[in-house]
Amino acid sequence: GNVVFNEDSGDYDFRVESNGNANMLFVDGGNDRVGINVGTPLETLHVDTSIRISDNETDDTNKSSYITSSQYDSGTETEGFIAMRTYAPTGVNAVRLGGGHSSWNAATELTFYTAANATTRTGTERMRISSGGDVGMGVSPTYRLDILDDVSPQLNITSSSSNDTAKYAHISCGHYHNAEEPMTIAEGRSDGSNNYVRIGGGRSEGNSANYIDFYLGANDATTGGTRRFRLDTNSRISLSNNDSGTSNT
């Protein structure tokens, strides 16, 4: 038969001791809370120290764990959705947020919050990944990477954070042939004597551009624009739509 403790719903606590802990399991009858390794639980379930979740403990075997949540339409979507999954096949310890298993629905948005201090509730949204894979920082994204900063908008890329050390950064584009190195769009370099900006090349890890084009629009609402200036691989300059090439003397 069934075993029921405190069936009359009295304000009684229930406690289980272990060899080294007086509150290995503690049920707070007055506040409807359960503590594991804690005698004054502050939430519905309060665990002191750590939680370990795994679908097995067999050596040399793939292991997984899941944290799931119910959906708004839980009556029809009874499986709910994944908040986090861990997966550990041979040589890999993976943490997957928002999906990664066919038994549950995936998340449609991942949002990250931080706060100015340790006593600020709710916090401020700092980054969002939309259902389409767009990433926004400070803004709901409409592009693959969308950044909004109304204080000091800038993107800093560097190879080192050490003081008095040469630093460099690259912006590149994938090559038409996947077997080739990417095409260098721009490189920045600071070596202690000079600060360089190199357009179209300058690094052995990337293929160089063989044309550099400059476009202008008729006004601030012109998409695409018109090529007004071209520098080709032979150091020739073409102005406007004249592609015949003019010496750069």
Side-chain angles (χ1 to χ4, degrees), residues 184-204:
T184 298
I185 298 174
E187 178 193 43
R189 184 174 295 270
S190 178
D191 61 11
S193 298
N194 296 289
N195 293 329
Y196 302 92
V197 175
R198 296 169 176 170
I199 305 298
R203 53 189 292 261
S204 60

Side-chain angles (χ1 to χ4, degrees), residues 74-237:
S74 56
T76 54
E77 297 297 322
T78 56
E79 66 273 31
F81 69 97
I82 290 183
M84 185 179 75
R85 178 194 181 189
T86 66
Y87 181 53
T90 179
V92 176
N93 290 329
V95 176
R96 297 172 177 173
L97 301 178
H101 198 283
S102 59
S103 296
W104 296 275
N105 291 318
T108 58
E109 181 180 285
L110 295 177
T111 311
F112 300 81
Y113 284 74
T114 64
N117 53 57
T119 59
T120 300
R121 300 193 179 192
T122 305
T124 302
E125 180 182 324
R126 304 301 186 186
M127 186 172 78
R128 175 182 298 190
I129 304 175
S130 72
S131 59
D134 296 336
V135 177
M137 296 181 182
V139 64
S140 182
T142 55
Y143 301 95
R144 186 57 67 189
L145 178 60
D146 211 342
I147 301 174
L148 172 64
D149 183 349
D150 59 3
V151 178
S152 179
Q154 59 182 330
L155 181 63
N156 184 48
I157 309 172
T158 185
S159 59
S160 173
S161 60
S162 299
N163 190 32
D164 296 333
T165 301
K167 300 173 179 67
Y168 57 89
H170 308 132
I171 300 176
S172 62
C173 174
H175 198 282
Y176 179 88
H177 303 293
N178 289 342
E180 289 286 344
E181 291 80 4
M183 180 194 74
T184 298
I185 298 174
E187 178 193 43
R189 184 174 295 270
S190 178
D191 61 11
S193 298
N194 296 289
N195 293 329
Y196 302 92
V197 175
R198 296 169 176 170
I199 305 298
R203 53 189 292 261
S204 60
E205 300 91 339
N207 284 302
S208 298
N210 54 342
Y211 286 101
I212 298 176
D213 293 336
F214 297 80
Y215 281 71
L216 291 173
N219 52 55
D220 65 353
T222 301
T223 60
T226 302
R227 193 183 77 233
R228 301 301 187 186
F229 182 97
R230 166 174 285 184
L231 178 63
D232 70 14
T233 191
N234 295 311
S235 298
R236 296 178 302 185
I237 295 175

